[in-house]
Amino acid sequence: MLIHVVYRYRILIVMAAIERKTSYFIAKCDSIASLRKCIDTSRWACRNRKVPPHPSELLTNAQAISDHVIIIFSVNNCHGWHGYAEMVSDVETNGRTNCSSDRTNTKCDSKTIHSSETMENKQLREEKTTDWKFFDVKWKKHFLNDFGERCLRSKDTDNEQYILTDGTPLNKARNWQEVPCDIGRSLCILIDNFYEELKTKQQEKMKMIEENIPPAFFHSSDEVDLMNENWLKISVKITKELGNIIMACPFGSRRYNLHTSTSDMDMFLVYQAKTRDILGFNPPKQTLKSNERESCDFTIHEIFRFGELLMSGDHRCVETLFVAEDTLVHTSPAFQHLQQHKHLFVNRNCLDKYLRDACGSKGTKQLQRMTDGHSPTEALSDRMSKLAYIIIRLLQNAADIVRGGPIIVYRPEVSAERVMLMKIRQGTPSIGETWNEINRLLSYVEEYKAGVPDHTDDMTTFLEAWLIQLRREQFS
């Protein structure tokens, strides 16, 4: 009899251990930015409460009796569940992560952007004076990278199945509240299923897009040695099907003399459609760009669209007026006439476009996110160096504008600007040195930008006369 009791007791212990194999907690993020930070760094934190039990104690106790501790994330005011991650370290008393507050300042209109060193020192000081408890997580599923701010709707867990043991609906769970295993497991399954549903829809959409992609404009070679052949092919095709080529030049690194032996050739062309085609019922496209079926990148603008972009200050188009003569693949009297008035386009519109690209969400703001939490003495990663190289190139040309021009597009081999850019492209400078160069250029532009002229009527008048004259010449 005693043996049976002991045996049954052991079975109950084993069953209890199996049931407690995984613990589930709810974590509330104050913003999408905080969630993004956690996903990027695989770090999260909890803060002591005024009255125990503290979240760190709850998590530590759960780790002691569970094989896995799962944290299910939601974001305040987003009304849904954004994913779940597993704790993969003990709770620490300090660390290097930004759990919820936004301490990054990357406003482009300020004279400088905080360097990585400044941000790191500030962060470490704050961590020493707060009661945040840090730990590592491994993400199992989240939507942010693939689907942005999409999430499993809270409506999907607004039913009797998701009532907690204290009678509280799951949707009203407190931050760091532990939820029963069956509810936590079910919620994770819902998140998994919704992710797969979104993935399936995304794949179906991509398939439809691929089916509707127009045929390749021309069949090119992606071999560097055959670039001249590509230029010839596309020139012949444009002349035959669209109109006369006004200008053709490289785009990308080859335009700026920043290419390597393996760099591909991106092509930029401007053509003039026949006036009768423009006035007809089937006018040619104003812009053609390479699609996924092309092995070579190209952009083709009709002169009207090219003129619109010049007036708006689009720096990619304005730069064509300043490219080195020996880098032009094709030119024409019409384009040369335009180049004679290139000073009209060195204005505030163009400066603003340079700064917007350099300091926007895909510029310094993104670089700040990449370098945040890294030591300023660390070397640039490949992703960091590629982005920093673009930012500094844009700021160098912005500095050209505040100096009154010309815009230096093709960097000479021995120029300090090119040397700096090639070092960054190779990842040689440290993170701190890179931010110092960015801040130096931004400070210079900020100091002298007041002297940059605004968009003028002279520019519009000239460009309109240029366009009308070309239309008249082609009217037949």
Side-chain angles (χ1 to χ4, degrees), residues 272 463-474:
Q272 177 185 356
L463 201 55
E464 190 171 59
W466 177 80
L467 179 63
I468 291 173
Q469 180 61 32
L470 290 179
R471 294 290 190 225
R472 285 174 175 166
E473 292 174 358
Q474 282 290 325

Side-chain angles (χ1 to χ4, degrees), residues 433-448:
E433 290 169 338
T434 301
W435 274 114
N436 288 341
E437 178 64 11
I438 291 173
N439 287 329
R440 183 188 71 80
L441 289 166
L442 276 173
S443 296
Y444 180 83
V445 172
E446 182 73 22
E447 183 177 358
Y448 295 104

Side-chain angles (χ1 to χ4, degrees), residues 45-48 93-95 97 99 101 103 123-134:
C46 55
R47 200 171 193 176
N48 284 348
T93 57
N94 55 41
T97 186
C99 55
S101 61
R103 304 178 187 133
Q123 186 170 311
L124 290 175
R125 285 198 305 272
E126 290 180 355
E127 288 176 359
K128 291 177 181 178
T129 58
T130 61
D131 50 0
W132 288 105
K133 311 295 182 182
F134 300 89

Side-chain angles (χ1 to χ4, degrees), residues 6 8 12 21 40-41 90 118 139 179 193 203 208 277 289 327 343-344 367 396 437:
V6 172
R8 290 180 63 187
L12 290 173
K21 186 175 182 179
D40 290 345
T41 63
D90 295 334
T118 302
W139 279 91
V179 300
N193 291 343
Q203 291 170 350
M208 290 179 61
D277 292 337
K289 290 191 176 184
T327 62
H343 62 279
L344 295 173
L367 184 63
Q396 285 179 354
E437 178 64 11

Side-chain angles (χ1 to χ4, degrees), residues 205-224:
K205 183 177 180 180
M206 290 301 299
K207 184 178 179 181
M208 290 179 61
I209 292 174
E210 289 176 1
E211 290 174 351
N212 292 323
I213 291 176
F217 181 70
F218 83 111
H219 298 285
S220 61
S221 170
D222 55 2
E223 297 181 24
V224 176

Side-chain angles (χ1 to χ4, degrees), residues 141-326:
K141 194 77 68 180
H142 66 81
F143 302 97
L144 200 56
N145 286 348
D146 293 329
F147 306 107
E149 297 184 16
R150 293 290 299 273
C151 62
L152 177 70
R153 300 176 306 169
S154 56
K155 288 183 178 180
D156 295 324
T157 53
D158 186 16
N159 55 62
E160 294 181 357
Q161 181 183 348
Y162 296 98
I163 300 296
L164 305 181
T165 52
D166 61 359
T168 304
L170 175 64
N171 292 343
K172 295 186 179 297
R174 302 182 306 278
N175 193 25
W176 296 118
Q177 182 170 356
E178 185 173 4
V179 300
C181 291
D182 57 336
I183 291 180
R185 188 183 308 112
S186 176
L187 178 53
C188 290
I189 291 173
L190 282 180
I191 292 172
D192 289 340
N193 291 343
F194 185 58
Y195 180 90
E196 292 304 320
E197 179 185 335
L198 291 177
K199 200 73 175 176
T200 299
K201 290 181 179 179
Q202 185 184 63
Q203 291 170 350
E204 291 174 352
K205 183 177 180 180
M206 290 301 299
K207 184 178 179 181
M208 290 179 61
I209 292 174
E210 289 176 1
E211 290 174 351
N212 292 323
I213 291 176
F217 181 70
F218 83 111
H219 298 285
S220 61
S221 170
D222 55 2
E223 297 181 24
V224 176
D225 294 340
L226 298 178
M227 286 303 170
N228 289 335
E229 182 180 328
N230 286 339
W231 280 111
L232 179 61
K233 283 183 179 180
I234 196 170
S235 298
V236 170
K237 190 169 181 65
I238 290 173
T239 303
K240 181 179 179 180
E241 298 183 11
L242 299 176
N244 293 334
I245 296 176
I246 298 296
M247 183 276 299
C249 70
F251 193 36
S253 60
R254 291 182 181 272
R255 173 184 286 190
Y256 308 108
N257 191 28
L258 299 171
H259 57 282
T260 64
S261 59
T262 58
S263 297
D264 55 5
M265 175 68 81
D266 299 334
M267 298 186 286
F268 187 94
L269 304 98
V270 178
Y271 80 98
Q272 177 185 356
K274 293 180 180 179
T275 305
R276 65 181 180 185
D277 292 337
I278 291 291
L279 298 176
F281 288 115
N282 296 299
K285 291 184 178 180
Q286 287 292 312
T287 296
L288 291 92
K289 290 191 176 184
S290 52
N291 58 45
E292 295 177 1
R293 294 182 181 176
E294 261 96 14
S295 59
C296 182
D297 291 333
F298 62 83
T299 298
I300 305 169
H301 291 306
E302 208 275 330
I303 55 172
F304 176 79
R305 180 57 181 157
F306 182 61
E308 281 187 323
L309 292 170
L310 285 175
M311 284 198 298
S312 71
D314 182 89
H315 57 81
R316 289 168 287 267
C317 291
V318 174
E319 285 173 357
T320 63
L321 306 178
F322 293 87
V323 295
E325 187 174 348
D326 56 357

